[in-house]
């Protein structure tokens, strides 16, 4: 009795099932650098202008979250930053009305325009944070909200028929308000920042800085910086994301000297030396908000808006969102990291021409 | 601690007015600076017959001599050759990839000429899609190899488009931005050129070929794009040689009857092409590739693989769930097939075994039969042998007895012997008779016969 014949037949049949390796796409050769002797002007650098025009047309989204105990001046600061009534302050100070029983998340969107650039600004307020007697886990609703926005974006991105521009509601920047005690950080501050620095860009800010003298201010800042370092809290700009030496030196300077910014906010204008400035009027003088010798508001504004706005968005998109996405896809499918969703498990799909778009 | 999350109020998007300079108008600059430091990618595909001037035009467009030897006309099929270059102008770095179709239009049978081109374009989309679907992906420093613009070189026959051109362009128009250009335009006279252009455009329209439309939605470029669109397809002349015209050197082709200046708008549309391709619409070409052609490919591909956005109850699927379901389904199918095969194999083996067993049984039976017959034969032979021996014995006895008698008779005398003989004869006879009777009896049983006793 020979069993030789049936065996060979199944062997060939089996091998037909194993998918053939996909043919590799034609990868271009290594770029040959020919830049030294261009015989004339081509016009490649006009792409910058083209890009700028395009982005100006589409507009920008920016979502900023403010976190801190009530009364630290969050709404005032946001209004000062964006020079308009972005947040409406609570008019009446009724305990039940003002302090909610739980941490709420309130997101209000505005459209502001400047110099032809349209920006959809969303300010996310967190009333109730740190105001209860028992503040355990009060950062959880905030973390949940942030993850919900990532989830929303992921769902849109994963759709078959995607929108041309996925609406971006992810939190790009979180301003954390530190109470100016003059001593050190509170346990609540440390806990919050420890949990959230991994999912969002946190910029710690010392509120109501006009309660401290210059020496107190610099000591406090040093202590806060030390404490953050000791607890391993990476606030924005994170050291690990510095791209090149130039970035590193610039960011180092900010990290080690200026941050956390000690700010004063105000939306009232006063006359000082013949100019109208934003400030706070006190019996002993007028605190100018935009004066660098009085407080560091101008530094914060320049940092967040004028130089690092795009970077905040990019770090959120390229790093925090990607981390969330990778974790989510990993947990869901048990797929090992690095393997694509379209791994070699699936059978080779014949290249059929797609129907033309209607 | 109970949690209440307020819903973001999306409806209330008020327009706010700023009371001072905030500073986010530097945002486009911030964005552009980031992109500048990373560098830009631009990929051009040149489709056209061998010798129509693709390499020369690329050299002229980008003001450099890209090294390449001209292709022969003996290519067995169409293949794509991609070359990458890094160009830098002021602070802008451009990673330029030029893909050439080698051997296009040279074969006798051009049925499959478009296929390698479509496959190449799809392969680039596929590579991007794979990257996008990875779990750990790095899209922001991904080297984009998708084709942003396809320059289709039309031969300057002066009549109309070749059928190969129509077929190829029809296959490519949903995958890439097609910009048709008339090559070697210095072979056509001005009036013929106008007729040729309108003929080409009407043919494209009537065959439903969608070429790249220059965008007219933004005011700054709308005007220039509109005026340029009128001149499609651009009739170009390429040259890297410089000829002295007036008091400066310009790129031109020198003929005995005159000099064709490449950058003279009266002579050819090269300047228009350069404007449109590079200086005005490069970014738009990239964007169209990503948002239109790539999305279409992605949608087709994912739908092909069975992913849907909503199931019959119109509940949104998540890609992950669908993928898991598909994967399990496929694995299940695989297992089923394996089982089937195994079962088939087992069945076959069983059948063969049964057959062989049958054969074995038959053989056994035969063997037994043979053995039996052999035994029987042997027995018969033995019986016969015995009989024979008995007969021999009895014969021997009788012979001995006869001899004894004979000797007795000889000794006793004749009468005695005679009497004995007679007696013997009689006894013998009577024995015989008795035997006969016995035999008769035996032979005629059942019949009544009168036995005649013969004395």
């Amino acid at each position: 009795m020979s069993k030789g014949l049936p065996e060979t037949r199944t062997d060939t049949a089996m091998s037909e099932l194993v998918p053939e390796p996909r043919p590799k796409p034609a990868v271009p050769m290594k770029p040959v650098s020919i830049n030294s002797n261009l015989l004339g002007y081509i016009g490649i650098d006009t792409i910058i202008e083209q890009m700028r025009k395009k982005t100006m047309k589409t507009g920008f989204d920016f979502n900023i979250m403010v976190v801190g105990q009530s009364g630290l001046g969050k709404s005032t600061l946001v209004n000062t930053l964006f020079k308009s009534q972005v947040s409406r302050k609570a008019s009446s100070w009724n305990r039940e009305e003002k302090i909610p029983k739980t941490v709420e998340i309130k997101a209000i969107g505005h459209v502001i325009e400047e110099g032809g650039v349209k920006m959809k600004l969303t300010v996310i307020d967190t009333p109730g944070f740190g105001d209860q007697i028992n503040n355990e886990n009060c950062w959880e609703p905030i973390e949940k909200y942030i993850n919900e926005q990532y989830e929303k974006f992921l769902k849109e991105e994963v759709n078959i028929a995607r929108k041309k521009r996925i609406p971006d509601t992810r939190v790009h920047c979180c301003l954390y308000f530190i109470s100016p005690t003059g001593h050190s950080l509170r346990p609540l501050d440390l806990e919050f920042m420890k949990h959230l620095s991994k999912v969002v860009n946190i910029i710690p800010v010392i509120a109501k800085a006009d309660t401290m003298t210059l020496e107190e201010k610099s000591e406090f800042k040093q202590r806060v910086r030390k404490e953050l370092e000791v607890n391993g809290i990476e606030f924005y700009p994170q050291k690990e994301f510095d791209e090149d030496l130039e970035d590193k030196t610039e960011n180092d300077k900010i990290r080690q000297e200026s941050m956390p910014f000690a700010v004063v906010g105000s939306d009232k204008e006063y006359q000082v030396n013949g100019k109208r400035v934003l400030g706070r009027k006190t019996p002993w003088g007028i605190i100018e908000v935009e004066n660098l010798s009085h407080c560091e508001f101008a530094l914060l504004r320049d940092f967040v808006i004028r130089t690092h706005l795009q970077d905040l968005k990019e770090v959120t998109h390229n790093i925090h969102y990607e981390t969330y996405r990778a974790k989510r896809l990993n947990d869901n499918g048990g797929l090992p990291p690095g393997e694509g969703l379209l791994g070699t498990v699936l059978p080779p799909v014949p290249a059929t021409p797609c129907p033309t778009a209607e | 601690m109970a949690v209440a999350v307020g819903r973001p109020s999306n409806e209330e998007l008020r327009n706010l007015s700023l009371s001072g300079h905030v500073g986010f108008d530097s945002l486009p600059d911030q964005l552009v600076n980031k992109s500048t430091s990373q560098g830009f990618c631009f990929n051009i595909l040149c489709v056209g017959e061998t010798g129509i001037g693709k390499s020369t035009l690329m050299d002229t467009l980008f003001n450099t001599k890209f090294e390449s030897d001209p292709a022969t006309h003996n290519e067995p099929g169409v293949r794509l050759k991609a070359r990458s270059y890094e160009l830098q102008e002021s602070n802008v770095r451009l990673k330029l990839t030029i893909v050439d179709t080698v051997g296009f239009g040279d074969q006798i049978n051009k049925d499959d000429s478009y296929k390698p081109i479509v496959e190449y374009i799809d392969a680039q989309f596929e590579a991007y899609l794979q990257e996008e679907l990875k779990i750990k992906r790095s899209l922001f420093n991904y080297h984009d190899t998708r084709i942003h613009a396809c320059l289709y070189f039309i031969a300057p026959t002066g009549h109309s488009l070749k059928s190969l051109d129509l077929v190829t362009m029809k296959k490519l128009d949903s995958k890439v931005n097609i910009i048709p250009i008339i090559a070697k335009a210095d072979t056509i006279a001005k009036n013929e050129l106008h007729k040729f252009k309108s003929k080409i455009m009407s043919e494209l329209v009537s065959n439903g070929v969608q070429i790249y439309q220059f965008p007219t939605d933004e005011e700054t470029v709308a005007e220039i794009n509109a005026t340029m669109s009128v001149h499609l397809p651009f009739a170009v002349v390429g040259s890297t040689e410089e000829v002295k015209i007036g008091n400066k050197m310009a790129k031109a082709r020198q003929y005995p009857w005159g000099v064709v200046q490449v950058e003279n708008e009266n002579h050819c549309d090269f300047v228009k092409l350069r404007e449109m391709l590079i200086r005005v619409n490069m970014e738009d070409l990239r964007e169209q590739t990503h948002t239109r052609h790539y999305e279409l490919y992605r949608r087709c591909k994912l739908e092909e693989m069975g992913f849907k956005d909503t199931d019959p109850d119109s509940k949104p699927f998540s890609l992950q769930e669908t993928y898991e379901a598909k994967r399990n389904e496929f694995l299940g199918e695989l297992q089923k097939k394996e089982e089937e095969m195994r079962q088939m194999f087992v069945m076959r083996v069983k059948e063969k075994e049964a057959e062989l067993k049958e054969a074995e049984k038959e053989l056994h039976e035969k063997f037994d039969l043979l053995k039996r017959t052999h035994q029987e034969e042997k027995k018969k032979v033995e019986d016969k042998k015995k009989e024979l021996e008995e007969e021999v014995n009895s014969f021997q006895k009788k012979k001995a007895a006869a001899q004894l008698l004979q000797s007795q008779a000889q000794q006793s005398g004749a009468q005695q012997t005679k009497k004995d003989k007679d007696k013997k004869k009689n006894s013998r006879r009577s024995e015989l008779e008795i035997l006969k009777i016995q035999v008769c009896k035996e032979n005629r049983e059942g019949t009544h016969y009168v036995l005649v006793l013969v004395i």
Side-chain angles (χ1 to χ4, degrees):
Chain A
M1 269 86 57
S2 68
K3 278 193 180 180
L5 193 57
E7 234 167 19
T8 44
R9 238 182 279 162
T10 40
D11 266 352
T12 46
M14 279 300 209
S15 67
E16 273 160 14
L17 264 179
V18 173
E20 291 160 349
R22 287 230 183 86
K24 286 218 155 52
V27 177
M29 299 182 330
K30 278 254 180 272
V32 176
S33 188
I34 309 179
N35 59 351
S36 34
N37 297 329
L38 285 181
L39 303 167
Y41 175 67
I42 304 173
I44 301 174
D45 53 358
T46 53
I47 194 170
I48 294 189
E49 214 28 62
Q50 298 173 30
M51 217 182 203
R52 186 184 283 133
K53 276 194 213 132
K54 263 209 190 296
T55 48
M56 278 180 52
K57 203 176 109 200
T58 48
F60 301 90
D61 286 342
F62 190 62
N63 308 317
I64 185 168
M65 179 187 260
V66 282
V67 184
Q69 290 171 322
S70 63
L72 278 181
K74 304 191 289 288
S75 312
T76 318
L77 185 71
V78 173
N79 289 345
T80 324
L81 260 179
F82 292 101
K83 293 238 166 59
S84 49
Q85 289 290 320
V86 175
S87 310
R88 262 173 290 146
K89 292 173 278 186
S91 42
S92 72
W93 210 97
N94 193 343
R95 190 173 285 274
E96 280 76 42
E97 221 177 79
K98 182 122 200 288
I99 303 182
K101 289 271 184 284
T102 57
V103 178
E104 285 176 2
I105 314 270
K106 282 205 194 122
I108 307 171
H110 309 274
V111 174
I112 43 183
E113 189 179 329
E114 190 181 60
V117 179
K118 254 194 223 172
M119 184 154 93
K120 178 166 163 287
L121 172 73
T122 309
V123 176
I124 303 150
D125 204 352
T126 54
F129 178 82
D131 286 337
Q132 270 69 39
I133 295 177
N134 181 0
N135 285 312
E136 268 183 9
N137 298 332
C138 64
W139 55 83
E140 271 177 17
I142 300 174
E143 200 175 340
K144 190 159 153 242
Y145 176 81
I146 294 174
N147 283 335
E148 266 174 24
Q149 306 316 305
Y150 287 147
E151 182 66 29
K152 227 191 272 182
F153 194 86
L154 179 65
K155 273 208 164 63
E156 274 300 323
E157 197 189 27
V158 143
N159 257 345
I160 306 282
R162 302 196 281 208
K163 294 199 194 119
K164 193 158 178 192
R165 218 178 127 229
I166 304 175
D168 193 359
T169 53
R170 303 170 291 187
V171 178
H172 300 129
C173 168
C174 176
L175 290 181
Y176 188 77
F177 285 72
I178 300 172
S179 191
T181 56
H183 298 210
S184 59
L185 286 173
R186 293 210 180 111
L188 176 62
D189 302 333
L190 286 170
E191 277 303 308
F192 177 87
M193 285 200 268
K194 230 191 268 188
H195 279 100
L196 288 207
S197 59
K198 299 190 191 72
V199 292
V200 76
N201 299 320
I202 294 193
I203 298 182
V205 158
I206 300 175
K208 299 204 165 170
D210 50 344
T211 53
M212 296 189 286
T213 63
L214 285 177
E215 297 86 24
E216 287 170 357
K217 214 190 293 184
S218 62
E219 272 176 28
F220 185 45
K221 275 169 56 159
Q222 255 185 333
R223 251 177 271 134
V224 167
R225 272 197 294 264
K226 194 104 173 262
E227 265 191 85
L228 290 176
E229 200 183 308
V230 161
N231 282 283
I233 296 171
E234 282 268 339
F235 52 85
Y236 180 86
Q238 294 94 337
K239 274 195 206 111
E240 43 184 342
F241 306 141
D242 280 338
E243 281 171 6
D244 49 27
L245 195 61
E246 196 186 303
D247 276 350
K248 194 165 170 335
T249 42
E250 192 188 314
N251 288 342
D252 267 346
K253 191 163 169 292
I254 297 175
R255 273 192 291 262
Q256 275 145 25
E257 289 172 14
S258 332
M259 284 184 88
F261 299 108
V263 294
V264 174
S266 166
D267 43 9
K268 294 204 177 62
E269 284 191 346
Y270 297 97
Q271 193 95 352
V272 172
N273 293 339
K275 284 195 299 177
R276 288 201 65 82
V277 289
L278 287 169
R280 283 172 65 78
K281 190 162 182 197
T282 62
W284 46 91
I286 296 179
I287 306 163
E288 291 164 52
V289 164
E290 285 177 328
N291 187 334
L292 272 174
S293 54
H294 290 197
C295 77
E296 292 167 356
F297 170 79
L299 285 181
L300 173 69
R301 179 198 56 204
D302 288 345
F303 179 68
V304 172
I305 298 178
R306 293 186 191 172
T307 53
H308 284 75
L309 194 69
Q310 184 60 28
D311 191 54
L312 279 163
K313 288 175 62 166
E314 292 211 351
V315 171
T316 310
H317 179 67
N318 291 335
I319 295 166
H320 294 301
Y321 169 68
E322 289 294 322
T323 317
Y324 175 80
R325 179 180 175 275
K327 194 161 89 75
R328 183 91 163 73
L329 295 184
N330 251 340
D331 290 341
N332 242 10
L335 295 165
E339 186 186 328
L341 280 182
L342 300 175
T344 49
V345 179
L346 295 167
V349 178
T352 53
C354 290
T356 49
E358 251 68 17
Chain B
M1 213 176 91
V3 162
V5 177
R7 293 278 147 250
S9 49
N10 285 326
E11 321 83 34
E12 211 192 302
L13 273 187
R14 331 188 293 221
N15 275 314
L16 289 181
S17 51
L18 304 170
S19 55
H21 179 67
V22 176
F24 60 86
D25 51 355
S26 62
L27 198 47
D29 289 319
Q30 294 180 35
L31 177 68
V32 160
N33 281 340
K34 267 260 177 285
S35 314
T36 316
S37 58
Q38 278 178 352
F40 301 91
C41 282
F42 196 60
N43 309 318
I44 305 180
L45 168 69
C46 294
V47 182
E49 300 168 352
T50 317
I52 206 167
K54 304 188 284 287
S55 312
T56 316
L57 186 68
M58 287 297 112
D59 287 348
T60 324
L61 259 178
F62 293 104
N63 274 333
T64 53
K65 188 100 176 70
F66 297 123
E67 264 126 55
S68 54
D69 326 301
T72 64
H73 288 269
N74 303 333
E75 299 280 338
V78 179
R79 62 185 172 89
L80 280 95
K81 201 162 62 156
R83 291 204 149 125
S84 285
Y85 307 95
E86 252 198 52
L87 305 173
Q88 181 153 3
E89 205 170 66
S90 46
N91 59 339
V92 176
R93 277 183 305 121
L94 182 74
K95 288 191 205 85
L96 177 73
T97 305
I98 300 180
V99 185
D100 224 340
T101 50
V102 180
F104 189 76
D106 274 336
Q107 294 78 33
I108 295 175
N109 181 1
K110 295 180 252 205
D111 273 342
D112 294 340
S113 292
Y114 69 88
K115 283 196 189 142
I117 306 176
V118 170
E119 276 171 16
Y120 180 83
I121 296 175
D122 278 345
Q124 307 317 306
F125 283 147
E126 183 64 33
Y128 191 85
L129 183 64
Q130 293 276 6
E131 180 66 32
E132 195 187 22
L133 289 177
K134 275 204 195 135
I135 294 188
K136 241 187 150 193
R137 61 187 190 182
S138 55
L139 275 178
F140 50 92
N141 54 10
Y142 175 77
H143 176 63
D144 194 1
T145 52
R146 299 172 292 183
I147 302 291
H148 300 125
C150 170
L151 293 179
Y152 197 93
F153 288 70
I154 300 170
T157 56
H159 301 305
S160 59
L161 284 175
K162 296 189 185 155
S163 38
L164 172 66
D165 294 340
L166 274 172
V167 165
T168 313
M169 277 203 265
K170 194 89 179 77
K171 293 277 178 201
L172 293 178
D173 68 353
S174 58
K175 293 193 178 284
V176 76
N177 301 314
I178 298 186
I179 303 176
I181 57 182
I182 301 172
K184 297 198 169 176
D186 50 352
T187 48
I188 311 182
K190 251 288 173 55
N191 48 350
E192 288 173 1
L193 185 66
H194 191 71
K195 252 197 301 181
F196 188 37
K197 278 191 185 181
S198 38
K199 188 89 199 327
I200 292 178
M201 291 310 280
S202 63
E203 274 199 346
L204 288 176
V205 165
S206 60
N207 279 285
V209 175
Q210 291 174 1
I211 57 173
Y212 174 68
Q213 301 295 324
F214 298 119
T216 48
D217 45 4
E218 211 211 324
E219 323 83 43
T220 43
V221 294
E223 207 186 302
I224 187 173
N225 277 338
T227 42
M228 292 293 188
S229 305
V230 172
H231 295 269
L232 274 176
F234 297 126
V236 294
V237 175
S239 168
T240 44
E241 275 143 25
E242 298 208 331
V243 173
K244 195 170 177 99
I245 302 175
N247 53 351
K248 40 180 203 148
M249 302 291 282
K251 290 193 281 261
R253 287 173 64 77
Q254 179 138 51
Y255 289 106
W257 47 88
V259 177
V260 179
Q261 294 161 32
V262 167
E263 285 179 336
N264 186 334
E265 292 212 42
N266 288 329
H267 290 200
C268 74
D269 298 330
F270 173 80
V271 174
K272 295 196 182 71
L273 174 67
R274 187 178 56 191
E275 277 294 309
M276 287 292 98
L277 187 63
I278 301 176
R279 294 188 192 172
V280 178
N281 297 311
M282 192 151 74
E283 182 59 27
D284 185 69
L285 284 163
R286 281 154 42 105
E287 194 184 312
Q288 289 283 337
T289 307
H290 180 68
T291 54
R292 200 145 64 90
H293 300 294
Y294 169 70
E295 286 295 314
L296 180 65
Y297 174 83
R298 178 180 175 273
R299 195 164 59 224
C300 284
K301 190 74 193 294
L302 293 180
E303 273 175 9
E304 222 175 82
M305 299 174 67
F307 291 107
K308 290 187 285 286
D309 268 341
T310 56
D311 67 353
D313 305 322
S314 53
K315 232 179 3 126
F317 265 162
S318 90
L319 191 67
Q320 192 58 29
E321 292 169 16
T322 322
Y323 169 69
E324 270 309 300
K326 283 278 147 193
R327 188 166 181 235
N328 291 335
E329 199 183 304
F330 176 72
L331 283 177
E333 264 183 42
L334 246 180
Q335 272 183 340
K336 219 170 51 174
K337 275 211 179 111
E338 220 182 300
E339 267 310 304
E340 267 180 47
M341 281 202 164
R342 198 177 291 135
Q343 282 189 9
M344 212 166 67
F345 173 71
V346 166
M347 221 169 59
R348 283 235 187 94
V349 166
K350 274 207 184 117
E351 273 180 33
K352 236 341 160 91
E353 260 188 38
E355 267 180 49
L356 289 170
K357 269 214 176 91
E358 275 287 323
E360 200 185 337
K361 221 166 71 179
E362 265 182 50
L363 276 171
H364 271 297
E365 277 179 19
K366 261 197 190 154
F367 180 65
D368 283 337
L369 194 66
L370 271 171
K371 215 169 161 186
R372 255 183 282 132
T373 21
H374 172 69
Q375 299 277 42
E376 278 177 23
E377 294 263 315
K378 201 170 165 189
K379 216 169 101 186
K380 269 191 197 156
V381 167
E382 296 261 320
D383 286 343
K384 274 208 175 131
K385 195 174 166 190
K386 265 194 203 145
E387 274 182 32
L388 201 64
E389 276 185 17
E390 273 181 28
E391 276 187 20
V392 166
N393 284 342
S394 58
F395 174 70
Q396 296 282 35
K397 276 189 202 152
K398 279 190 185 148
K399 191 179 172 188
Q403 277 181 345
L404 197 67
L405 270 174
Q406 217 174 22
S407 63
Q408 276 183 351
Q410 277 179 351
Q411 282 176 6
S412 53
Q415 269 191 346
Q416 210 48 4
T417 55
K418 214 184 179 184
K419 266 191 189 168
D420 286 330
K421 270 190 188 168
D422 283 338
K423 266 192 196 161
K424 273 235 162 109
K425 264 193 197 164
N426 287 340
S427 63
R428 202 138 296 131
R429 257 199 222 144
S430 58
E431 274 180 35
L432 272 168
E433 269 31 296
I434 292 168
L435 274 173
K436 260 193 190 165
I437 291 168
Q438 279 185 337
V439 169
C440 286
K441 259 195 192 160
E442 281 172 35
N443 282 347
R444 294 167 192 189
E445 280 184 65
T447 56
H448 300 285
Y449 282 98
V450 176
L451 289 167
V452 177
L453 195 69
V454 175
I455 302 278

